[in-house]
Amino acid sequence: MRKMPGPFAGIAVLTLSAQLVPTAHSQTGAPPPVIEIQECRVYPPGNPHSGIDCTRAAKAACEGKPACEFPIGSRLSGHPDADSEPFSWKKVRVRFRCGKLQHVSGPFDQDDHATMQLSCFG
Amino acid sequence: MDMRNQTQVFLMALLAFALACIGTVPAVSTAAVDPRTINPHDYPSLDAKELGSLRRFVKLARSLPGDFAGMSDDLYAIAERTQQFQYAYMAAAVGLIQYEYTPAYRELYRRTMDELIQKMTLPDIWESWLKSSRSGTAEGDPDLPDMTVGWLDPVRRYNNMLKGYLLQAGAMYDMLYRDGRYDKADAFTFRHAPRTWGNGTVVFRYSLPDVARIVHQEYVDNHYEGVLCEPNRVFPACNQPPILGLINFDQTHGTHYAADVMPKFTAVWKRKGYTMASTGQNIHFVYVRQGKLEQVGTPVLDGWAGAWMHAWNPDLMQEIYPRQHDLYLPMYMSGAWARRVPQQNKGLLSLGYGQVAFMVAEMGDTDARQKMLDYAERNFHPVWEEGAYYYPRNDDYTPDAQGNSHGVGSWTGNVLIALARLDKGGSFLRLYRKPWTKAELEAPEITDVDELSVNVSQAYYDAARKALIVTIEPGPVKAAQTSFVVRRLPPGSTYLVLEDGVVVKDTNRVQKRPDGTLAISTTLDKSHSFVIVAA
């Protein structure tokens, strides 16, 4: 039998695990994983360690939920970027956990019309 | 004649005029219109091919997300691909039919326009912006060191190749239906959720007022020299739909965006020479940062700009059009265009044909319009398919023995030639100059039409004669009988219903319902015209 090429095997494992996660929880009766916000930052492009901590806002929107939407507009920093050039738009990045799995969402441009979608379901 | 006699003559003339008016006005303003004097042939109607085009638009609007069958194009020079433009132009065409031909039948058009607009928010359509936003040295900005990282949000900055058309279509929908659908914060929702690359899932939500405000601000920010279609580039062609969108938006929202932009943009057009004195063609585009005009005119962009510009600036188009007509028409009618096919961009040839055909139609050049439609009928192999009429894509651009090409792209074959057929001169100019008011919005209409078995070729309310004129025809799905409902007839009157000139007395076929509506049933053996008029 031919061996499945590496990348396809990876996709298959990912797909399988994504399908198994909720099934395993439902079979064991354990509660489904929920979002645990670890860090949220709004920062200038190219300087991800500076900027403003938005963890509290992210927690308010998402903490303890299996999935959520988190608005990433100027409310997070109080400085709308509407008039600035695209490449100076601030970035928003969120680190969160679902059980033991670590996730990152972003960086996305800070944007009054944008919401990040975080999810523990694959 | 002395002064006294002059006065007497004037008074007698005035009296005669007043009597003449009294003699005619009652016949029009009271309910006693002789229904036999109302001839459906005197009112707008769609012919078979026009109905077929409408069915093509409806079919493509109803495709499932991700299904773009029949909309492909070998036109990779347009980075956005042509599907987004096909949807935008079809939405405008549906709005045009609604406004010009069948204002008293709305349910089909309202749904179809909305479906076509929403197609433009599918990732297959809008995510091409991710590439265009990255610009680059060859096309976007020669002074850049490299492509940029770009940005995701398709509305926030530039990209009038998409948002200008969303504004045009959304504002036209709002002018026609006023249901507030596009005022909602999530009217245009773009979801970016790839699972094999990127930084996660993000959603962008905009309302029509958001888009109008942003577009207007971009005109202001760029000193009314035009909104940017992509980073650093202003095309005259892509600046027409957003202006038209602002016109309809102003009409429904009480803003003055278009009123601000139109004179200033026109002044820039003339001052900067967006139409080149040397050839009479429009410039290709402006490099904004460099202030440089790319002075290469093409039929694609001239037709693209011209049809829409006539709808808001007919005076300027009357100046521009004659030289472009003389340049392009002989080329297309002789087949010379077909011998200029560059293999790598052959689709542009068909696109130019379609855009110029649409332009000559909107300009009211009936002779040129008819020639281009006839040429298309002879050479582009139109088909009927489940009641839909269109010109299927054909990549055979090789000239035949007579020098004609049979090549046609989907944008041209699905909608541009249809627009040339539907627009019998200044149709969009009328739509933008005379938006529907409360009177049109509250006028009687027909509903509950079975769109599979019935074509509605006429639906027009003549307010002066209080008469609703409706013609229905058998559609692609055969049925022996059908029915429709007449709504919003002015209360306080009884109504006569005439079918093909004969009063329908059978109360089983015309039923007045408790809610004041009329239900009318008939056979579908052939076309039937109805006149519903106060008795």
Side-chain angles (χ1 to χ4, degrees), chain A residues 9 17 28 33 35 49 61 76 87 104 112:
Chain A
S17 60
T28 60
I35 294 165
H49 301 296
L76 291 182
F87 305 115
V104 180
D112 284 335

Coordinates of all heavy atoms in Angstrom, one line a residue, chain A residues 9 17 28 33 35 49 61 76 87 104 112:
Chain A
A9 N -1.2 13.7 5.1 CA -1.4 13.0 6.3 C -1.6 14.0 7.4 O -2.5 13.8 8.3 CB -0.1 12.2 6.7
S17 N -8.8 15.3 14.2 CA -8.8 15.7 15.6 C -9.8 16.8 15.8 O -10.5 16.9 16.8 CB -7.4 16.3 15.9 OG -7.1 17.3 15.1
T28 N -17.7 11.6 26.9 CA -17.2 11.5 28.3 C -18.1 12.3 29.2 O -18.0 12.1 30.4 CB -15.8 12.0 28.4 OG1 -15.8 13.4 28.1 CG2 -14.8 11.3 27.6
P33 N -14.7 22.6 25.9 CA -13.7 23.6 26.2 C -14.3 25.0 26.0 O -15.1 25.2 25.1 CB -12.6 23.3 25.2 CG -13.2 22.6 24.1 CD -14.4 21.8 24.7
I35 N -13.2 29.4 26.1 CA -12.1 30.3 25.9 C -11.6 30.9 27.2 O -12.4 31.3 28.1 CB -12.6 31.5 25.0 CG1 -12.9 30.9 23.6 CG2 -11.6 32.6 24.9 CD1 -13.8 31.9 22.7
H49 N 5.4 44.2 21.3 CA 5.5 44.1 22.7 C 5.1 45.5 23.4 O 5.1 45.6 24.6 CB 6.9 43.7 23.1 CG 7.2 42.4 22.6 ND1 6.6 41.2 22.9 CD2 8.2 42.0 21.6 CE1 7.1 40.2 22.2 NE2 8.0 40.6 21.4
A61 N -15.7 40.0 26.6 CA -16.4 39.6 25.4 C -16.4 38.1 25.3 O -17.4 37.5 24.8 CB -15.8 40.2 24.1
L76 N -10.9 50.0 22.0 CA -9.8 49.2 22.7 C -8.7 50.1 23.1 O -8.1 49.9 24.2 CB -9.2 48.1 21.8 CG -10.2 46.9 21.5 CD1 -9.4 45.9 20.7 CD2 -10.7 46.3 22.8
F87 N -0.8 51.7 6.5 CA 0.4 51.0 7.1 C 0.7 51.5 8.5 O 1.7 51.0 9.1 CB 1.5 51.0 6.1 CG 1.1 50.4 4.8 CD1 1.1 51.2 3.7 CD2 0.6 49.1 4.7 CE1 0.6 50.7 2.5 CE2 0.1 48.6 3.5 CZ 0.1 49.4 2.4
V104 N -3.8 31.6 18.9 CA -3.6 33.0 18.7 C -4.6 33.5 17.6 O -4.8 32.8 16.7 CB -2.1 33.3 18.1 CG1 -1.9 34.8 17.9 CG2 -1.1 32.7 19.1
D112 N -12.8 49.8 13.3 CA -14.1 50.0 14.0 C -15.2 49.1 13.3 O -16.3 49.0 13.9 CB -14.6 51.4 13.9 CG -13.8 52.3 14.9 OD1 -13.4 51.7 16.0 OD2 -13.7 53.5 14.7

